[in-house]
Structure formats: C-alpha cells, structure tokens
Amino acid sequence: MDDTYDVHATLEECQMLNEAIQRWDETAATSLPKYMRMLYIKTLRNINGIEDILEPFEKYRMMAYIQKQLFNPVSYKLQSNNYLQEAKWSNGKHIPSLKEHADVTLMSTGLPFLFSLALMAAGQVVVTKESLEWALSVPTMVRASGEIGRLLNDISSYKRGKNKNDVASTVESYMKEHGATGEEAMAAIKTMVEQAWRRINGACMELGRTMQPALQWLVAMTRMLEVFYLHGRDGLTYGYDIKEIVAFLFLKQVPV
C-alpha cells in the first residue's frame, strides 16, 4: 500500500484508493483501476480474516479490540489518509514544517499500527486489556518509537539521494525552517533520535510491572530500527545490507 501511494499511483488514483478504503466494502473495488483491485480486495480480506486465525478462547477476548483498532488513531483507514497526504505533498513539491511532518509521518511509518497488531498476536503472557488499550491510545513511548523510525529513515534517504516521487524528508524540513545545511540538519535530527530514546527509557521506568512485557516488545522493535539504519544504511529497503547480520544470528554456529 505504501509503494502504491509513493510510486505506482497518480494523485487521482491515490484519492480513489483512499475513498475505497474509507468505505471498507469490497464492492468499492469496481471504482478502482484494474491494477489496484486485487490489492484492495486482499487488504480487506486479510484484515477481516484475523478472526478466522484466532484460537477459540482468543476470539471473545480479542475481537472487540481488533474492531476498535479499525477506528482508532492507529487504524488502517487513518494510515491510508496519511499516505494520501504524503502523496499530495509530493505531487505539489511541498516541504512541510517539522510539526506537519510529525503529525502525519510518525504514523505513516506504520510502527504504531504494527506494534498494536503484534501485541494482538503475542498471546496472553504479553497481552492484557491494559496493555492493548495503552498501545491503541498511541502514548508518548509509542510515538517516540515511530519518531525514531521516521528520523532514521530520513537520514538514510537524504544520504542516499531521494527518488523524484519521495515526499520531502524531515532533514529537508529542518533545513528550510532553520536555514541549515544538510550536515547541520542531519546532526540536529540525530539529536532528536536521542531525545526520543530518552522518552522511551523514561516511560519504561515509570510504567508498572504488568506493562513490562509489552514495553519490552516495543523497545525490541525500536532497537531493530537502529540495526536496519545503522551508519545511514537502509536495511529495510535493501536487504543485502543486513544479510550478514541475519546469517550470523540465525544460521552460523557459535563457538563454545
């Protein structure tokens, strides 16, 4: 879906796709270009099919929260709205302010949405009603994780050179707002990453023991981002950058 909004679709097609997603009805596929129809139908069926893969004892406990997820600030529908806003910025060659960027792109990273879905699949040891409701509210710690993902990605893309359809990055927004050079902006963005980590660490110390399993999941996901984007690389887009790390962790024998 991200690639469709970023690369494949025209702005008009992005608007059509978003309208269909807001309807959340398979009959809306007929209003879409042919190449989008399978994406749309599969998306709806995958999300709606979550109930079918839950164990019977999980269904009663979990489905109310999954339904809530669809209409929560981290919902799939809002994710589509955010992608559309980015497409509008890109199409209009608009460089948003840092605040505009944060309001949209922290969520469009998908990390808050992914974290909530991961908790739903984690099992009873990790998932409690308290932890799910906490995640769905997108608290400071979850926003900080999304911020880290966004900022690290933008540093990487600025170093690598953006594609012509990419939305302006937070590095470019900082340069515009502060009259800074690229190097100065990247240094400031790295400081923002450190500040976000401080908010995560602070939340881990403040929240109670019952929340710790969920907190550790979020911390682990955020650490993963640091590995993907280490030294400005983009291991999410270019898998060869992390192939050796994966092989070392899961395939190679460890000397004893």
Side-chain angles (χ1 to χ4, degrees):
M1 186 168 156
D2 184 31
D3 288 345
T4 299
Y5 277 100
D6 279 353
V7 180
H8 301 298
T10 64
L11 180 59
E12 181 182 3
E13 290 171 343
C14 289
Q15 291 169 328
M16 293 167 64
L17 178 58
N18 185 58
E19 289 172 5
I21 287 174
Q22 301 311 313
R23 286 179 57 186
W24 207 258
D25 185 337
E26 285 193 21
T27 62
T30 58
S31 66
L32 297 173
K34 286 185 178 180
Y35 81 92
M36 281 186 175
R37 292 175 187 173
M38 185 56 68
L39 166 68
Y40 178 72
I41 290 171
K42 285 289 189 181
T43 296
L44 266 62
R45 290 180 181 176
N46 283 343
I47 298 297
N48 293 336
I50 289 176
E51 184 174 10
D52 296 333
I53 63 173
L54 292 174
E55 295 294 332
F57 74 90
E58 294 178 304
K59 290 186 179 182
Y60 176 78
R61 183 172 62 90
M62 300 290 286
M63 286 313 296
Y65 294 110
I66 292 172
Q67 291 300 320
K68 183 179 179 181
Q69 172 83 359
L70 295 176
F71 300 98
N72 189 269
V74 289
S75 73
Y76 204 87
K77 293 182 179 183
L78 186 55
Q79 192 77 353
S80 177
N81 285 334
N82 290 331
Y83 287 149
L84 177 60
Q85 182 59 63
E86 289 185 356
K88 289 178 178 178
W89 285 342
S90 176
N91 189 71
K93 309 299 181 185
H94 175 65
I95 300 179
S97 68
L98 284 170
K99 183 181 185 307
E100 288 175 321
H101 230 303
D103 289 343
V104 172
T105 62
L106 298 194
M107 301 302 295
S108 71
T109 61
L111 290 167
F113 185 59
L114 176 61
F115 175 58
S116 296
L117 293 178
L119 284 184
M120 290 175 183
Q124 291 177 314
V125 173
V126 175
V127 178
T128 63
K129 181 180 179 180
E130 180 187 11
S131 62
L132 269 176
E133 290 184 342
W134 173 79
L136 290 169
S137 70
V138 196
T140 297
M141 185 177 179
V142 176
R143 283 187 62 85
S145 177
E147 183 178 340
I148 290 170
R150 174 78 279 145
L151 297 176
L152 291 176
N153 176 273
D154 285 354
I155 290 172
S156 171
S157 64
Y158 184 80
K159 285 184 174 181
R160 193 176 63 251
K162 60 183 292 186
N163 297 319
K164 66 176 184 177
N165 291 331
D166 287 346
V167 67
S169 69
T170 51
V171 176
E172 293 167 277
S173 293
Y174 188 94
M175 291 169 64
K176 179 182 177 182
E177 280 191 31
H178 297 274
T181 65
E183 290 299 319
E184 291 170 339
M186 284 192 290
I189 297 299
K190 290 177 183 177
T191 299
M192 293 179 191
V193 172
E194 292 297 322
Q195 292 169 345
W197 267 115
R198 289 177 183 271
R199 294 197 296 276
I200 290 175
N201 291 337
C204 286
M205 296 176 67
E206 292 168 3
L207 293 172
R209 292 182 63 184
T210 59
M211 293 290 294
Q212 289 304 312
L215 296 179
Q216 291 308 310
W217 272 58
L218 184 66
V219 169
M221 286 178 61
T222 313
R223 286 174 176 158
M224 175 187 70
L225 297 171
E226 293 280 5
V227 174
F228 281 136
Y229 293 112
L230 185 65
H231 304 312
R233 69 186 176 200
D234 184 356
L236 277 174
T237 304
Y238 304 101
Y240 54 78
D241 283 338
I242 60 168
K243 181 178 178 180
E244 187 62 26
I245 295 175
V246 174
F248 179 78
L249 290 174
F250 297 104
L251 299 178
K252 294 183 178 180
Q253 294 184 350
V254 178
V256 178

